[in-house]
């Protein structure tokens, strides 16, 4: 793996190395910077799965992904389980039920590597059948210094790829995707109601939303009733579909 640094072979050699530490099914390496669409630096999905894991993901659902949200917060570099980063109701939320469940994963964990220039790399390791055991997670955490150093050196210029893409004019489209949250229900919903929509779709419970926004849980429930009434919908599933439609139109 180390001999392959700087060559096209490096990402696959990295995945091969990590599989000697703990076996898993799929690897994907995304780089994140701000609201821009993530760059797919490497993946080893079969063609039938790549549409869901990469193409569909980059089209907009990444905005609701706990790894994206953590990478752009950002969290300190290191190895994380997705369940430790996800909001309190993530697994009951519509992003999980309508999109993430299509991946068929039992667990996803990720190495978060600071690549400089405001870019965070996330090396995701995915399992389809069972979660990583505590022993396997500890073993992977043990190779974190190697992963961090090798990835930071190999992708030292990844910030330039974001700069080049923005220079080519795609920054505007990336901004449109991010603004979908702020424009959702424009003319129908108040700014506060749009905030409630955003956190609801990200998987926050009413109690968590009230803490983030500094309002009571009763007020959150009132906002939700008003949102559904104004949009003419009756479920969180319909809310998710309406938001995805907004992404397509922006």
């Amino acid at each position: 793996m180390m001999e392959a640094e700087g060559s096209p072979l490096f990402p696959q050699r990295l995945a091969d190395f990590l599989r000697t530490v703990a076996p898993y099914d799929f690897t994907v390496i995304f780089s994140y910077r701000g609201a821009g669409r993530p760059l797919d630096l490497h993946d080893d999905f079969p063609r039938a799965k790549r549409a869901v894991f990469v193409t569909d993901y980059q089209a907009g659902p990444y905005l609701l992904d706990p790894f994206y949200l953590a990478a752009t917060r950002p969290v300190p570099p290191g190895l994380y389980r997705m369940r430790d980063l996800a909001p309190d109701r993530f697994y009951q939320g519509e992003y999980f039920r309508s999109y993430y469940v299509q991946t068929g994963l039992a667990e996803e964990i990720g190495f978060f590597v600071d690549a400089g220039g405001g870019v965070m790399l996330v090396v995701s390791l995915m399992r389809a059948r069972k979660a990583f055991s505590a022993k396997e997670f500890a073993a992977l955490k043990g190779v974190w210094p190697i992963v961090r150093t090798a990835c930071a050196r190999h992708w030292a210029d990844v910030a330039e790829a974001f700069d080049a893409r923005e220079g080519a004019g795609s920054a505007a489209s990336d901004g449109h995707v991010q603004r979908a949250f702020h424009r959702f229900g424009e003319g129908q919903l108040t700014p506060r109601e749009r905030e409630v929509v955003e956190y609801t779709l990200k998987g926050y419970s009413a109690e968590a939303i009230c803490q983030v926004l500094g309002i009571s849980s009763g007020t959150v429930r009132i906002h939700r009733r008003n949102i559904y009434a104004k949009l003419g919908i009756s479920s969180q599933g319909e809310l998710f579909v309406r938001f995805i439609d907004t992404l397509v139109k922006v």
Side-chain angles (χ1 to χ4, degrees):
M1 180 196 72
M2 296 174 70
E3 288 177 352
E5 281 182 28
S7 82
L9 295 174
F10 174 77
Q12 189 57 56
R13 295 280 174 84
L14 170 65
D16 293 342
F17 164 63
L18 292 172
R19 284 187 170 99
T20 68
V21 181
Y24 63 91
D25 296 295
F26 310 118
T27 317
V28 64
I29 305 172
F30 280 114
S31 60
Y32 300 96
R33 187 172 76 175
R37 284 181 174 85
L39 297 177
D40 176 21
L41 301 178
H42 172 74
D43 67 79
D44 52 24
F45 301 117
R47 182 177 299 180
K49 289 186 174 291
R50 194 176 189 277
V52 171
F53 281 99
V54 179
T55 307
D56 291 350
Y57 176 80
Q58 289 177 308
Y62 73 86
L63 289 167
L64 305 175
D65 176 19
F67 276 4
Y68 161 78
L69 296 171
T72 54
R73 205 175 300 157
V75 297
L79 178 64
Y80 295 90
R81 294 182 188 266
M82 177 174 282
R83 66 173 181 252
D84 292 335
L85 297 174
D88 58 343
R89 292 295 299 277
F90 173 73
Y91 293 100
Q92 290 78 45
E94 279 306 315
Y95 169 78
F96 178 80
R97 292 189 294 181
S98 297
Y99 168 74
Y100 197 82
V101 74
Q102 296 179 56
T103 66
L105 297 177
E107 186 174 33
E108 179 177 358
I109 65 177
F111 290 98
F112 283 61
V113 180
D114 186 346
V119 176
M120 186 76 81
L121 306 177
V122 179
V123 181
S124 289
L125 316 182
M126 302 173 171
R127 269 195 176 167
R129 295 174 185 82
K130 64 177 182 178
F132 291 87
S133 68
K135 183 177 181 180
E136 289 170 327
F137 189 82
L140 287 165
K141 202 167 185 178
V143 300
W144 157 244
I146 298 171
V147 174
R148 176 189 59 200
T149 303
C151 288
R153 286 198 301 232
H154 180 75
W155 282 294
D157 60 351
V158 70
E160 296 175 12
F162 279 96
D163 294 339
R165 189 176 66 175
E166 292 170 6
S170 63
S173 62
D174 292 341
H176 284 172
V177 175
Q178 176 61 24
R179 285 196 297 273
F181 276 128
H182 305 292
R183 295 180 57 184
F184 181 73
E186 197 169 32
Q188 295 175 285
L189 305 181
T190 66
R192 176 64 85 191
E193 288 168 345
R194 287 197 289 272
E195 288 181 318
V196 171
V197 167
E198 177 178 350
Y199 286 107
T200 297
L201 290 174
K202 288 178 177 177
Y204 286 71
S205 65
E207 291 73 20
I209 293 173
C210 76
Q211 292 177 9
V212 172
L213 299 182
I215 57 180
S216 70
S217 58
T219 301
V220 172
R221 288 192 288 271
I222 291 171
H223 280 314
R224 283 181 171 171
R225 285 199 296 269
N226 290 339
I227 290 164
Y228 285 14
K230 289 179 180 180
L231 298 179
I233 59 177
S234 59
S235 70
Q236 193 180 129
E238 292 178 275
L239 183 66
F240 179 81
V241 170
R242 189 72 66 88
F243 176 69
I244 295 301
D245 287 343
T246 299
L247 285 176
V248 172
K249 294 174 183 176
V250 168

